[in-house]
Amino acid sequence: MNRVIVVGTSAGGLHALGALLGYLPADLPAAILLVMHIGSRFSVLPEVLQRHSALPVAFAQDRQELVAGTVVVAPPDRHLLVMREGAALRAVLSCAAKENHTRPAIDPLFRTVAEAADGRAVGVILSGYLDDGVAGLQAIKACGGVAVAQDPAEAAAPDMPRNAVSNVALDLCAPLQEIAAALTRYARTPPPAAGAHEIPSWLRTENRIVADGGDLKALQQIASPSNYACPACGGVLFEMTQRRPTRYRCHTGHAFSALSLLLEQQTVIEESLRSAVRALHEKESLAEQLAAESTLHGRAPEADYAGIARRCREEAAQLLALLAG
């Protein structure tokens, strides 16, 4: 097996993956691993992709050996990783913390194949929002592999390939048909000599953090505490110091690019505002109940319950206006 090809995509990725696989020959001397942001929901992605592919397509099985001429897909709610075991490369399914607010995520696959494949990795970023996969492509390049991105002008959602263009020294940025031709050439070209590229220590450490499910001491070796809290667990986020664009990790394993962190913070803010609206509506209802009971029993209310209810209504309306804006 000359090469290990890893492909990451998100929004717009179903069409892109089908087209890319449709261009690849049945005798491709490379293993292909795919991550699409399918989350935890039920998926028939392999069956759909098989309609377009001359190569067999299936969900990854934990510890299966990677072999040339096959397509392995990350299953729902599991990161797909790669590890070396002797001369063999194996797929590993992991329930480690979400990265970039998703599991499966692209970066963990790309990082682990960069370390395990000994310069034979080819990373491909296709259509999608934000920038999952950018850090993984950087890791592949750092280990002597090849970095490829779909032409953003062709992608249904151009953010991911565009961020790859901006942050990675790509070997190719092209439409899908040209990418498929290049992958076929790479797969049929002898790989670099074993051990030709040293694995950066920061990459080994980050991969170990993912494999161990989080490690504060290891994280402190490659990151510094930031001013931000992890929106997923509330712990301190550490800013990764080796690479740009900026990335963050907490010691339990959650990881974010700056872009995905910004999006997740917005989600937390919206959830907090909606919780406040709910509490105000409940307080309004209770105040109205107390006002009605006071009237029913013909006594002066102990407080201005009607006024409390009115203020709750006004404050809830203001918060709803913020959410709408």
Side-chain angles (χ1 to χ4, degrees):
M1 182 170 62
N2 287 342
R3 301 280 178 171
V4 181
I5 299 170
V6 287
V7 183
T9 188
S10 185
L14 186 59
H15 171 78
L17 287 173
L20 180 64
L21 292 177
Y23 292 131
L24 295 175
D27 61 347
L28 188 77
I32 302 177
L33 294 88
L34 306 180
V35 170
M36 186 173 177
H37 291 164
I38 58 175
S40 60
R41 63 184 180 274
F42 175 77
S43 173
V44 292
L45 183 58
E47 290 89 334
V48 173
L49 295 179
Q50 189 64 78
R51 300 170 191 163
H52 306 274
S53 176
L55 302 161
V57 184
F59 277 132
Q61 301 297 313
D62 193 35
R63 310 287 298 183
Q64 77 176 82
E65 183 175 352
L66 303 182
V67 296
T70 59
V71 180
V72 175
V73 180
D77 204 31
R78 290 293 182 271
H79 292 309
L80 174 57
L81 313 177
V82 174
M83 65 169 290
R84 177 177 289 279
E85 190 173 79
L89 294 179
R90 296 190 180 277
V92 176
L93 299 182
S94 169
C95 59
K98 293 180 179 182
E99 297 203 16
N100 298 317
H101 193 55
T102 187
R103 185 176 57 225
I106 300 165
D107 276 338
L109 171 61
F110 281 28
R111 283 196 314 265
T112 55
V113 81
E115 179 180 352
D118 201 12
R120 290 179 289 163
V122 181
V124 184
I125 290 293
L126 304 180
S127 175
Y129 295 120
L130 300 180
D131 57 354
D132 190 20
V134 168
L137 272 187
Q138 291 175 334
I140 287 173
K141 287 291 291 183
C143 296
V146 176
V148 177
Q150 183 181 10
D151 183 351
E154 182 192 60
D159 288 6
M160 276 173 36
R162 184 180 293 141
N163 280 305
V165 170
S166 299
N167 294 285
V168 185
L170 295 175
D171 296 280
L172 177 67
C173 178
L176 293 169
Q177 189 167 6
E178 292 182 33
I179 289 175
L183 295 180
T184 304
R185 289 196 304 273
Y186 293 140
R188 291 174 176 165
T189 302
H197 295 87
E198 184 177 353
I199 307 300
S201 60
W202 59 265
L203 178 59
R204 293 187 186 275
T205 300
E206 189 166 6
N207 284 342
R208 189 171 76 249
I209 290 170
V210 175
D212 294 343
D215 184 329
L216 180 57
K217 291 182 178 179
L219 181 58
Q220 289 171 331
Q221 297 173 16
I222 58 173
S224 301
S226 75
N227 295 324
Y228 308 121
C230 175
C233 69
V236 174
L237 281 176
F238 285 68
E239 182 176 336
M240 307 294 288
T241 55
Q242 287 73 28
R243 296 276 160 177
R244 290 294 179 266
T246 305
R247 291 192 299 131
Y248 300 91
R249 276 192 172 278
C250 74
H251 79 270
T252 63
H254 298 109
F256 303 89
S257 68
L259 285 175
S260 63
L261 177 60
L262 187 68
L263 180 65
E264 186 65 9
Q265 287 174 332
Q266 181 62 32
T267 299
V268 170
I269 291 169
E270 289 182 6
E271 290 175 351
S272 298
L273 288 173
R274 293 190 187 282
S275 293
V277 169
R278 174 194 52 76
L280 285 166
H281 283 164
E282 291 174 356
K283 185 178 179 182
E284 175 193 353
S285 178
L286 184 57
E288 289 175 340
Q289 178 182 331
L290 290 170
E293 289 177 356
S294 298
T295 301
L296 179 65
H297 294 292
R299 65 174 186 268
E302 298 174 2
D304 181 13
Y305 297 126
I308 292 173
R310 184 180 64 255
R311 287 193 295 275
C312 287
R313 254 191 324 274
E314 291 170 351
E315 291 168 4
Q318 290 170 359
L319 293 182
L320 289 170
L322 284 175
L323 284 166

